[in-house]
Amino acid sequence: MHWNELLPTFLLSLVPIILAMGALASARRPRQRAWRTAQVTTLSGLLLSTLLLALGLSGVLPTVTGWWQTAPLQLIMLLLANFIAFVVVRYSATYLQGEPREQRFVALAQGVFAAVSVAVLSDHLLVFLVAWLTIGLAMHQLLMFYPDRPRAALAAHKKFLFARSAELCVLAAFLLLYLHHDSARISVITSAYAAPGGALSASEQAAACLLALAALIKCAQLPLHGWLIQVVEAPTPVSAALHGGVINLGGYLLLLFSPLLLQSTPAQALILVVAGLGSVLAALIMTTRISIKVRLAWSTSAQMGLMLVEIALGLVELALLHLLAHSCYKAYVFLSSGEAVQQDLQRRQAPGRRPTPAQWLSAGLMSGALVAGLGAFVHYVSDSSAFDVVSPWVLMTLALTVLLAERRGPLGAGAGAGFLGLAALVVLAYFGLKSLFAVLLPTLEHTAPLWADLWVSTLFVLLFAGYCLQRHGLHHRWVQTLNLYCYAGFYLDEWVTRNTLKFWPHPLPSRIRAKRLHAASHGGSL
């Protein structure tokens, strides 16, 4: 192999190697030196990932080199993972100062992101699976950072079982694909589905459904979502790493195998039904929560469901944009969650006014006209397929309707033109970014079926109706009852937890014992 072929392989391998060596070094060094080592390794990984993305976009890197893939999807995900790693480590150096297990955290955090780097770059089924398993096992240790907390132990136990179930699904899917294609190269397998061909075989359909099921489990979709809500017992940096990076791997799995998924109607239907309903319910449940970290956890479940729906509709460029924006946003809001009290007080000082029916109607008409006008303009100046799928624009119209209607309160009086301009900017930014990411990803010849588009559009309308009822209709008794069920999460997690513990019992730490010891020590000192 010539040196110009070895160099890209070496540079790509260097990213996970640096993080892995940093993890080993941090585990053996004193506390201060361990944090400095972690900051150096994560910064090195971030800079190297940036360089690799620049080389990849300029066409210098081959698409596949060694066991690594260097397409824009892989390099963007590599940069995202290392950016989240750098931010989390920098924040944790202060946040976890003085914690007895902080040295364990800094080593495990680097190990997690080293495995994530391997997973997003891998071009081999076995390497991907081993990295996926390593991520799950290392995250389990991070979630048990406070092993004496019963809720944390219960959440980690449920996640451990669900993660192993997802890995078994991936293993079975990979085995079926390997037997069908006689190759373990991911690039070879996905290229076979780049163009629509004949009907998929039974083994290919089964593999697509197994991959879809694995992604649903990994992305904490209802009803297997409870662990994601309860892991807020872990330190805030662990939540930021989980919600900002690790949980996105389910979406990345479907993005990676989207050429296969989009040719399997059963797999698409599975995602559209489960993730579609789950995202709507999770979004409505989120609005009933008070704790900022719990609200963010429910938001993650809803956003992951929406991202999976986008992939199932064939909007892979929109899903990648969604993944990047969600990762950076969730990492930021978790790490700044301490400011939530002040933000809530500011919001309470300027309450909005309930929009009148006329204001709702005018906001809906303006939003619809804005989106329709942009659609006509885009069709006139380009051959863009942005409007081939209607459901995203239904969601955009409904979101703009809420924005324009609810901003007509005391603070928004007389500012209609400004908010209308903001709404137009949002629509243009959406179209522009979607078009940009479409250039970065390979073109897939796929058109969402009409039933899928109508189903997702109906879900968005139901979400809009549920939001309006929760926000402005709580004076109705039946809405109060619905809100009560939303607050309870429709008791889905209780049912799953009860059956999970029946299937695999797990002893949980008891704080009662600690309280008794504390009381006994006080009694003995008297």
Side-chain angles (χ1 to χ4, degrees):
M1 185 179 291
H2 199 263
W3 70 270
N4 57 356
E5 297 178 356
L6 283 174
L7 183 59
T9 304
F10 171 74
L11 291 176
L12 291 164
S13 304
L14 198 57
V15 177
I17 288 175
I18 289 175
L19 292 172
M21 292 179 63
L24 294 174
S26 299
R28 300 185 178 186
R29 293 189 172 188
R31 183 180 59 83
Q32 291 294 340
R33 294 187 64 186
W35 283 114
R36 283 197 294 269
T37 300
Q39 291 175 6
V40 170
T41 57
T42 52
L43 178 60
S44 301
L46 176 60
L47 295 176
L48 188 54
S49 301
T50 305
L51 173 63
L52 288 168
L53 179 59
L55 293 176
L57 294 178
S58 61
V60 175
L61 296 178
T63 306
V64 177
T65 174
W67 280 10
W68 308 127
Q69 293 190 75
T70 59
L73 172 62
Q74 282 74 30
L75 296 178
I76 290 172
M77 291 296 298
L78 179 68
L79 178 59
L80 174 66
N82 282 271
F83 172 72
I84 299 297
F86 174 71
V87 171
V88 168
V89 167
R90 283 291 301 270
Y91 179 88
S92 304
T94 302
Y95 183 90
L96 295 176
Q97 188 173 12
E99 288 281 356
R101 298 164 63 89
E102 61 176 313
Q103 198 166 355
R104 178 183 177 87
F105 169 87
V106 69
L108 285 171
Q110 293 174 89
V112 165
F113 285 103
V116 171
S117 299
V118 172
V120 299
L121 289 176
S122 174
D123 188 42
H124 196 280
L125 296 177
L126 183 59
V127 175
F128 183 96
L129 186 61
V130 171
W132 185 293
L133 177 62
T134 303
I135 295 167
L137 295 177
M139 278 304 303
H140 179 76
Q141 298 301 319
L142 285 175
L143 296 177
M144 290 294 292
F145 188 83
Y146 296 125
D148 59 329
R149 296 185 177 182
R151 282 173 57 86
L154 177 61
H157 174 63
K158 290 194 292 185
K159 183 188 182 301
F160 183 86
L161 296 180
F162 298 157
R164 302 295 82 77
S165 301
E167 287 150 10
L168 288 176
C169 291
V170 173
L171 174 61
F174 282 2
L175 183 60
L176 290 172
L177 291 174
Y178 173 75
L179 294 175
H180 183 82
H181 294 276
D182 195 26
S183 175
R185 290 281 186 172
I186 297 175
S187 57
V188 173
I189 294 172
T190 54
S191 63
Y193 304 101
L200 298 181
S201 65
S203 62
E204 291 173 302
Q205 293 280 10
C209 291
L210 286 168
L211 291 174
L213 183 59
L216 290 169
I217 297 173
K218 274 290 187 179
C219 289
Q221 294 304 288
L222 275 67
L224 305 181
H225 64 286
W227 66 268
L228 183 66
I229 313 303
Q230 292 156 357
V231 295
V232 296
E233 292 280 336
T236 297
V238 176
S239 298
L242 175 64
H243 292 259
V246 174
I247 200 170
N248 295 311
L249 289 176
Y252 173 73
L253 176 70
L254 290 192
L255 284 173
L256 186 61
F257 289 94
S258 57
L260 168 63
L261 175 74
L262 295 178
Q263 296 188 35
S264 173
T265 301
Q268 290 176 265
L270 176 63
I271 293 174
L272 290 172
V273 172
V274 177
L277 288 173
S279 62
V280 171
L281 293 177
L284 294 176
I285 293 169
M286 178 197 69
T287 61
T288 66
R289 300 299 166 147
I290 299 174
S291 168
I292 181 63
K293 292 181 72 174
V294 173
R295 285 174 64 92
L296 292 175
W298 279 107
S299 170
T300 296
S301 181
Q303 294 294 331
M304 289 295 101
L306 180 58
M307 183 182 65
L308 297 181
V309 167
E310 291 163 355
I311 298 173
L313 289 174
L315 304 171
V316 291
E317 69 283 351
L318 180 59
L320 179 58
L321 172 61
H322 191 170
L323 188 152
L324 295 176
H326 177 264
S327 294
C328 296
Y329 171 73
K330 276 298 164 62
Y332 168 76
V333 293
F334 265 104
L335 297 180
S336 62
S337 58
E339 303 173 2
V341 175
Q342 182 181 359
Q343 295 171 358
D344 184 67
L345 289 175
Q346 292 176 349
R347 186 166 53 249
R348 290 174 183 270
Q349 290 174 359
R353 186 172 55 193
R354 182 189 303 176
T356 64
Q359 289 174 335
W360 279 114
L361 180 60
S362 62
L365 291 175
M366 283 191 292
S367 300
L370 185 64
V371 172
L374 177 64
F377 174 75
V378 170
H379 275 293
Y380 178 76
V381 300
S382 70
D383 296 328
S384 174
S385 60
F387 289 85
D388 290 348
V389 182
V390 178
S391 50
W393 298 101
V394 172
L395 178 61
M396 180 69 72
T397 302
L398 296 175
L400 291 177
T401 299
V402 173
L403 173 67
L404 294 175
E406 294 190 342
R407 286 297 184 178
R408 290 178 176 271
L411 291 181
F419 283 112
L420 191 61
L422 175 62
L425 182 62
V426 169
V427 175
L428 290 173
Y430 165 78
F431 173 74
L433 290 173
K434 183 177 181 297
S435 302
L436 173 63
F437 277 80
V439 175
L440 298 177
L441 296 176
T443 303
L444 297 176
E445 298 179 11
H446 172 78
T447 302
L450 179 61
W451 66 266
D453 207 9
L454 290 176
W455 164 253
V456 176
S457 299
T458 303
L459 290 176
F460 290 155
V461 172
L462 291 176
L463 176 61
F464 174 77
Y467 169 82
C468 293
L469 288 174
Q470 283 186 327
R471 188 166 177 84
H472 305 293
L474 281 177
H475 54 283
H476 298 292
R477 190 171 185 84
W478 67 274
V479 179
Q480 295 174 7
T481 303
L482 176 63
N483 199 60
L484 183 63
Y485 277 96
C486 285
Y487 182 78
F490 296 94
Y491 302 100
L492 292 172
D493 182 52
E494 286 75 9
W495 177 78
V496 170
T497 301
R498 183 169 60 251
N499 287 280
T500 300
L501 293 178
K502 283 182 181 179
F503 170 74
W504 196 306
H506 181 70
L508 300 177
S510 175
R511 288 187 172 180
I512 298 177
R513 189 180 309 162
K515 292 179 180 178
R516 286 176 179 172
L517 289 174
H518 182 69
S521 64
H522 276 274
S525 63
L526 294 177

